[in-house]
Amino acid sequence: MSFIMKLHRHFQRTVILLATFCMVSIVISAYYLYNGYKQENELSEISSELECGDLQLLPYKLVELKTVKPIDPMRTDPVVLVFVESQYSTLGQDIITILESSRFQYHIEIAPGKGDLPVLIDKNKGKYVLIVYENILKYVNMDSWNKGLLDKYCIEYGVGVIGFHKGSENSLQSIQFKGFPFHVHGNLGVKDCCVNPHSPLLHVTKSSKLDKGPLPGNDWTVFQINHSTYQPVIFAKIKTTENLPLPITKNALHATVVHDLGLHDGIQRVLFGNNLNFWLHKLIFIDAVSFLSGKKLTLSLDRYILVDIDDIFVGKEGTRMNVNDVQALLDTQNLLRAQITNFTFNLGFSGKFYHTGTEEEDEGDDLLLGSVDEFWWFPHMWSHMQPHLFHNESSLVEQMILNKKFALEHGIPTDMGYAVAPHHSGVYPVHVQLYEAWKKIWNIKITSTEEYPHLKPARYRRGFIHKNIMVLPRQTCGLFTHTIFYKEYPGGPKELDKSIQGGELFFTVVLNPISIFMTHLSNYGNDRLGLYTFVNLANFVQSWTNLKLQTLPPVQLARKYFELFPEQKDPLWQNPCDDKRHRDIWSKEKTCDRLPKFLVIGPQKTGTTALYLFLIMHPSIISNSPSPKTFEEVQFFNRNNYHRGIDWYMDFFPVPSNVSTDFLFEKSANYFHSEEAPKRAASLIPKAKIITILIDPSDRAYSWYQHQRSHEDPAALKFSFYQVITAGPRAPSDLRALQKRCLVPGWYATHIERWLTYFPTYQLLIIDGQQLRSDPATVMDEVQKFLGVSPHYNYSEALTFDSHKGFWCQLLEEGKTKCLGKSKGRKYPPMDSECRAFLSSYYRDHNVELSKLLHKLGQPLPSWLRQELQKVR
Ligand code: A3P
């Protein structure tokens, strides 16, 4: 009995426990269900009831940001992988433009139908920090194998995805993306757009009030979401009523950009329901890149702006400033200081034209000078002449002295260190006379130009330092000397407003940490478009971005610039005649014809001097004049001579009597292994042909060592060849330096590959140094063919073997010979077998790489290389 009682009690207890557990579960589930329902409802409520302005008032975040896996940018390289539809697709180019303008690295792939992927991982590190699909459908509809791989990569490396969905005439109105918990409704017109102020994406973007009204185009897509992982970033209402898909209501706010927080499958995404034509999408795209890259690809919020007013006192009557205009300039400057810290107009003057306007305008000149201390000032050339027209430095100096005298007479400060040349003349392409004169008279340290490396595209403009003068890029703001009246603005006044309000000018500020804007005196008279532009620009930037605007004096600005972009300090010279704008500001007394058509790049000790001697025997081939400093070689592209500029380089070459048939060239055997030379040469003489000579790198190293010994290099005299080539990392520095110069040029494949990244293969000739030594006439025939030089020169008749010298030499009249000097073809003991074995092994991998490269280039392997490769087997 008691057993039955016990069992009964036990049963009772169990039932009570179970019931309690069930109750608790029900309560918990109800709580979460209710909350989930509330959250989803919050989103749909926003969709159906709120107006844009109300979003600001929401007391809570729409959805808490709980990402599944925090983004870890250290696990990936800072490179964006962009899948475009084609090389020329507009949106693809817009994406690239923004990445380039932001100076972010990217890699483009054409998105293939099936979804094949490039290699994503390299040595356990992700190759891409972010993936962008121009067409999101290519991502969504990828075959499951590739999708699986990509998802795995994204989850493993915390990589996000950005995608665009843009309706087309043929696309369906409503679709559900495979595997995604939302619908998209395409081909819609939208209006009354606003930004979700609570979106965690916002960095540069500040949510602000956009004028009500339609957005351009009827190809918008809105996202209908039913999962709390999606957070709307931009909302808009639907414009048209007809044919609306069922769940879409006309007056509700719908998301045109959504942020997938990754709660669904661990991958964060930002999806755009259109392209980047709408400026706010561009801004959000910049923020999405920043957010999804874990701030690795992010723009700072500091923006430095300097507004130059060139041509002060220059300008025809009727286009200049009168007293009221100058007063407005002063007032606006004060006004702007509220938005742009320390804002000060920077006035560039040409003293010669002082008081050359109407009576009212002359009074304007006087008020400007009466307010000297309110502005910053810089010299702009006394008579507004273009400096490149002055060939003599002394006449430039005279002009500058006149402007300086004017400045001193009128109390204009002369120590700002900044100057601007009319029409960019002389700054780039460099007219060295201008740089020298500027330094002498004005102690100039900074200038700016739009022309480096080219005016267009503006996003490629860069700075450089030459002769200790810092050259900063200069931006345009859509105002030119003749843009004087608002109504007459080219294309209509709307164009100017468009540029300011989310257009070109606005994005110039967004994408450039430092902008120097060029305006002119005439932009501040009449309709004062200069003031109009910068006041409206500052307002717009302040309303829509979190950017902090400020102005710095030019010297500080330039320092800041090169702190931000130290890699830009070194210039990269180009041929001034390859760009019409550059040619127009290039001195008529200078020519672009004094540049080589080909280079003999080395390496040293392979027979380069012999080749040089043979080349100059040809009637159409002309070398540079010798440089006393660098053993006759110019050595321009490899070292600091490059900083002397192209005038210095060109001075080594004669003006050819016939540009098309004469072949100027120079031989600098150090170019071969130089890190900089290929890039620099390709920039200045992109069409030049390149000749290199190769011998067994072990023999080259030994010849170099012997060369150093005969030049009494202390390290070469002190250490044996074996000691040099086998020296370890702790060896004395002079020994290490000698070792480097012995061995590094022999890494042939590495150096040739570098040249081939800048020059096409058909511009490169690789000569077998052994053959040059034993059969120079055949090699010279090959060289002539490669160069396309005429007339054909018969080297079989012009060269002879000199048994005394032991080398081929030039045959002179009466059977005499002209051979290379004592330093070429030296007598020294052969390399010992120990050294040879060491070097054979040292160069093994390099030689294997070289053989692969020659094979790829379709070139025969020289005999020494074949022998070395046999040793490998
Ligand atoms: P060695 O002096 O060690 O024999 P470079 O001019 O590039 O410094 O190369 C010098 C090497 O060119 C010499 O090295 C020599 O072997 C080789 N050479 C090839 N043809 C030659 C020639 N016709 N006259 C002299 N040296 C020649």
Side-chain angles (χ1 to χ4, degrees):
M1 184 65 196
S2 71
F3 172 73
I4 292 175
M5 282 289 284
K6 259 189 205 162
L7 197 71
H8 182 73
R9 243 181 260 145
H10 188 77
F11 181 70
Q12 254 182 347
R13 235 183 284 144
T14 315
V15 168
I16 290 167
L17 248 164
L18 267 171
T20 320
F21 178 73
C22 283
M23 280 303 288
V24 171
S25 317
I26 288 167
V27 170
I28 292 174
S29 316
Y31 173 80
Y32 280 104
L33 262 175
Y34 175 72
N35 264 355
Y37 163 81
K38 213 176 106 192
Q39 211 167 47
E40 272 178 32
N41 250 13
E42 278 162 4
L43 285 173
S44 56
E45 268 168 23
I46 282 157
S47 302
S48 57
E49 286 171 19
L50 289 176
E51 282 295 318
C52 269
D54 303 333
L55 294 170
Q56 300 279 358
L57 305 174
L58 290 176
Y60 48 84
K61 286 202 169 206
L62 288 181
V63 177
E64 281 292 306
L65 178 64
K66 300 173 268 182
T67 51
V68 170
K69 189 165 184 172
I71 296 164
D72 178 7
M74 298 324 287
R75 298 208 55 207
T76 50
D77 288 331
V79 181
V80 183
L81 174 59
V82 187
F83 286 101
V84 292
E85 287 296 274
S86 81
Q87 224 178 332
Y88 308 103
S89 52
T90 317
L91 174 55
Q93 285 184 17
D94 288 349
I95 294 168
I96 299 304
T97 300
I98 292 189
L99 296 177
E100 281 182 345
S101 308
S102 313
R103 297 156 188 92
F104 296 154
Q105 288 181 63
Y106 63 89
H107 172 78
I108 306 185
E109 287 279 329
I110 311 275
K114 256 179 69 195
D116 291 345
L117 295 167
V119 178
L120 297 172
I121 302 166
D122 184 25
K123 295 185 195 113
N124 272 336
K125 201 168 184 201
K127 286 177 68 160
Y128 306 105
V129 70
L130 172 68
I131 293 168
V132 179
Y133 271 88
E134 176 184 354
N135 179 358
I136 192 73
L137 294 176
K138 287 278 166 61
Y139 172 63
V140 175
N141 297 330
M142 201 188 281
D143 70 43
S144 53
W145 169 257
N146 283 311
K147 184 76 185 354
L149 284 179
L150 187 59
D151 284 356
K152 196 162 172 269
Y153 173 74
C154 289
I155 293 167
E156 184 63 29
Y157 290 87
V159 168
V161 177
I162 296 178
F164 295 83
H165 184 263
K166 191 170 167 279
S168 69
E169 274 173 26
N170 305 325
S171 69
L172 289 173
Q173 276 262 317
S174 296
I175 44 170
Q176 162 127 37
F177 283 175
K178 205 167 67 182
F180 289 90
F182 60 77
H183 278 82
V184 295
H185 303 285
N187 284 337
L188 298 166
V190 297
K191 60 177 185 178
D192 306 349
C193 151
C194 51
V195 180
N196 170 9
H198 307 291
S199 168
L201 285 190
L202 305 189
H203 168 60
V204 171
T205 317
K206 181 160 67 178
S207 164
S208 187
K209 210 164 172 244
L210 198 77
D211 287 344
K212 281 195 166 192
L215 298 184
N218 282 318
D219 50 0
W220 289 78
T221 295
V222 297
F223 297 87
Q224 203 207 341
I225 49 194
N226 49 12
H227 192 291
S228 57
T229 189
Y230 291 96
Q231 188 169 62
V233 185
I234 295 192
F235 294 103
K237 290 180 178 174
I238 305 302
K239 198 167 67 181
T240 38
T241 39
E242 306 124 42
N243 304 329
L244 276 187
L246 219 52
I248 298 290
T249 38
K250 194 186 159 207
N251 276 322
L253 287 171
H254 296 285
T256 65
V257 178
V258 286
H259 177 190
D260 175 349
L261 303 175
L263 305 176
H264 171 56
D265 59 3
I267 303 169
Q268 291 211 52
R269 302 177 183 85
V270 176
L271 308 178
F272 289 79
N274 206 323
N275 52 24
L276 289 173
N277 285 353
F278 179 37
W279 66 269
L280 204 46
H281 274 190
K282 259 189 211 164
L283 215 51
I284 296 291
F285 176 72
I286 292 166
D287 282 349
V289 170
S290 162
F291 186 87
L292 294 180
S293 68
K295 296 251 163 193
K296 210 168 184 183
L297 302 180
T298 198
L299 301 175
S300 121
L301 295 178
D302 291 318
R303 292 291 177 281
Y304 301 91
I305 287 177
L306 181 68
V307 179
D308 284 356
I309 311 182
D310 296 356
D311 294 359
I312 293 291
F313 308 126
V314 187
K316 283 197 293 250
E317 284 188 0
T319 67
R320 302 159 62 112
M321 279 194 262
N322 59 33
V323 170
N324 289 340
D325 298 323
V326 177
Q327 196 52 55
L329 186 73
L330 286 160
D331 294 345
T332 309
Q333 178 168 278
N334 275 335
L335 194 89
L336 279 168
R337 281 182 180 159
Q339 286 158 316
I340 309 174
T341 311
N342 201 22
F343 181 81
T344 307
F345 283 111
N346 197 25
L347 272 45
F349 61 97
S350 295
K352 184 179 175 189
F353 302 100
Y354 170 62
H355 271 187
T356 52
T358 61
E359 209 172 299
E360 291 80 30
E361 289 169 341
D362 288 353
E363 284 169 18
D365 285 359
D366 290 334
L367 184 55
L368 272 178
L369 290 178
S371 323
V372 144
D373 298 337
E374 301 295 321
F375 304 112
W376 295 334
W377 295 80
F378 64 90
H380 195 49
M381 277 308 255
W382 164 250
S383 60
H384 200 255
M385 283 282 276
Q386 298 183 343
H388 78 275
L389 301 175
F390 296 82
H391 196 69
N392 292 335
E393 192 185 306
S394 55
S395 35
L396 260 175
V397 163
E398 262 169 44
Q399 288 270 315
M400 288 185 190
I401 290 174
L402 288 173
N403 218 22
K404 188 159 182 187
K405 244 176 84 190
F406 174 85
L408 292 171
E409 274 164 20
H410 292 90
I412 295 176
T414 56
D415 57 356
M416 291 292 285
Y418 179 70
V420 172
H423 302 119
H424 313 275
S425 149
V427 176
Y428 192 80
V430 167
H431 189 58
V432 76
Q433 296 89 323
L434 171 67
Y435 282 67
E436 297 299 350
W438 259 347
K439 284 203 295 197
K440 260 185 212 153
I441 307 307
W442 286 98
N443 193 19
I444 293 305
K445 296 189 182 76
I446 303 110
T447 183
S448 59
T449 182
E450 294 166 354
E451 295 294 338
Y452 178 74
H454 298 281
L455 177 73
K456 286 184 179 163
R459 65 181 181 280
Y460 291 170
R461 279 181 221 159
R462 296 288 181 262
F464 65 94
I465 303 178
H466 183 53
K467 304 235 170 243
N468 286 329
I469 292 185
M470 293 181 267
V471 182
L472 263 54
R474 204 163 159 77
Q475 309 299 338
T476 42
C477 61
L479 299 178
F480 304 94
T481 35
H482 48 274
T483 30
I484 296 174
F485 298 107
Y486 183 62
K487 278 197 181 142
E488 288 172 17
Y489 190 82
K494 268 195 179 157
E495 287 302 311
L496 178 60
D497 292 328
K498 241 179 19 197
S499 172
I500 298 167
Q501 294 163 13
E504 192 179 327
L505 181 54
F506 171 70
F507 276 102
T508 300
V509 173
V510 170
L511 294 165
N512 288 298
I514 292 178
S515 299
I516 302 182
F517 287 110
M518 182 168 85
T519 63
H520 299 90
L521 171 85
S522 52
N523 306 133
Y524 297 84
N526 292 293
D527 280 359
R528 301 174 194 155
L529 289 183
L531 302 184
Y532 175 87
T533 300
F534 288 101
V535 167
N536 283 297
L537 178 67
N539 282 337
F540 196 82
V541 169
Q542 206 178 39
S543 325
W544 279 103
T545 74
N546 294 310
L547 299 178
K548 287 176 248 141
L549 300 177
Q550 61 169 304
T551 301
L552 286 179
V555 176
Q556 288 176 38
L557 192 71
R559 287 206 187 111
K560 180 111 241 152
Y561 187 87
F562 288 107
E563 252 168 50
L564 290 173
F565 305 112
E567 72 287 354
Q568 291 184 24
K569 285 181 185 167
D570 281 354
L572 203 52
W573 309 128
Q574 306 157 98
N575 185 330
C577 299
D578 285 352
D579 176 330
K580 184 178 177 310
R581 292 180 61 89
H582 292 172
R583 204 167 48 224
D584 289 347
I585 48 172
W586 177 246
S587 168
K588 296 280 167 286
E589 310 212 12
K590 298 178 184 177
T591 160
C592 297
D593 299 336
R594 296 171 76 184
L595 283 172
K597 275 191 189 163
F598 71 97
L599 299 176
V600 177
I601 58 169
Q604 285 169 309
K605 311 317 293 173
T606 55
T608 54
T609 320
L611 178 64
Y612 174 88
L613 173 75
F614 302 157
L615 283 166
I616 55 173
M617 289 164 63
H618 193 289
S620 306
I621 297 179
I622 306 154
S623 88
N624 58 287
S625 52
S627 160
K629 281 204 181 135
T630 42
F631 306 106
E632 302 184 351
E633 294 182 346
V634 186
Q635 302 206 6
F636 177 67
F637 293 111
N638 56 327
R639 295 265 211 95
N640 284 340
N641 282 336
Y642 188 72
H643 296 289
R644 296 171 190 256
I646 58 171
D647 285 0
W648 180 88
Y649 184 51
M650 288 189 187
D651 276 349
F652 280 96
F653 296 94
V655 179
S657 50
N658 185 331
V659 180
S660 48
T661 54
D662 285 356
F663 277 64
L664 300 184
F665 85 105
E666 64 128 338
K667 177 228 35 143
S668 291
N670 276 331
Y671 288 166
F672 179 75
H673 66 279
S674 149
E675 291 282 338
E676 295 98 352
K679 187 175 177 187
R680 289 172 171 178
S683 172
L684 183 63
I685 41 173
K687 295 203 177 108
K689 297 204 170 164
I690 308 295
I691 300 179
T692 175
I693 310 170
L694 304 184
I695 59 170
D696 184 335
S698 310
D699 291 330
R700 200 216 73 83
Y702 189 53
S703 169
W704 169 257
Y705 170 77
Q706 294 297 343
H707 175 78
Q708 289 304 89
R709 276 178 72 87
S710 54
H711 277 93
E712 296 183 358
D713 175 84
L717 293 177
K718 193 156 106 200
F719 299 103
S720 71
F721 184 54
Y722 189 77
Q723 282 172 315
V724 172
I725 56 178
T726 57
R730 296 223 184 90
S733 60
D734 56 343
L735 177 58
R736 293 282 292 159
L738 179 64
Q739 181 190 50
K740 201 171 151 205
R741 289 163 75 203
C742 253
L743 298 180
V744 171
W747 305 348
Y748 291 154
T750 311
H751 303 309
I752 295 174
E753 297 270 15
R754 194 184 315 108
W755 281 91
L756 288 177
T757 53
Y758 295 98
F759 285 90
T761 47
Y762 62 82
Q763 276 174 242
L764 176 76
L765 178 69
I766 301 174
I767 291 177
D768 176 358
Q770 194 55 47
Q771 194 189 6
L772 177 71
R773 189 172 164 157
S774 57
D775 180 14
T778 307
V779 170
M780 292 314 290
D781 277 351
E782 197 190 338
V783 171
Q784 291 186 77
K785 214 167 114 200
F786 168 72
L787 293 175
V789 62
S790 60
H792 179 264
Y793 188 75
N794 191 343
Y795 281 95
S796 312
E797 286 172 7
L799 299 177
T800 184
F801 188 79
D802 184 311
S803 48
H804 179 66
K805 175 81 181 167
F807 284 93
W808 286 81
C809 302
Q810 182 179 4
L811 180 62
L812 300 176
E813 281 164 19
E814 294 165 13
K816 285 188 186 149
T817 55
K818 183 181 165 195
C819 298
L820 293 186
K822 276 206 297 276
S823 64
K824 306 291 166 184
R826 286 197 179 92
K827 305 263 182 290
Y828 44 80
M831 193 189 328
D832 65 46
S833 56
E834 209 180 352
C835 292
R836 189 163 290 283
F838 178 88
L839 286 175
S840 248
S841 140
Y842 175 86
Y843 282 120
R844 185 164 301 148
D845 291 349
H846 295 287
N847 286 339
V848 169
E849 285 309 310
L850 178 66
S851 70
K852 284 188 204 161
L853 179 63
L854 292 177
H855 183 73
K856 206 168 81 189
L857 299 176
Q859 297 231 11
L861 302 192
S863 53
W864 65 264
L865 184 55
R866 259 183 273 126
Q867 280 163 21
E868 286 301 313
L869 293 176
Q870 270 158 10
K871 288 185 198 164
V872 176
R873 285 187 212 122

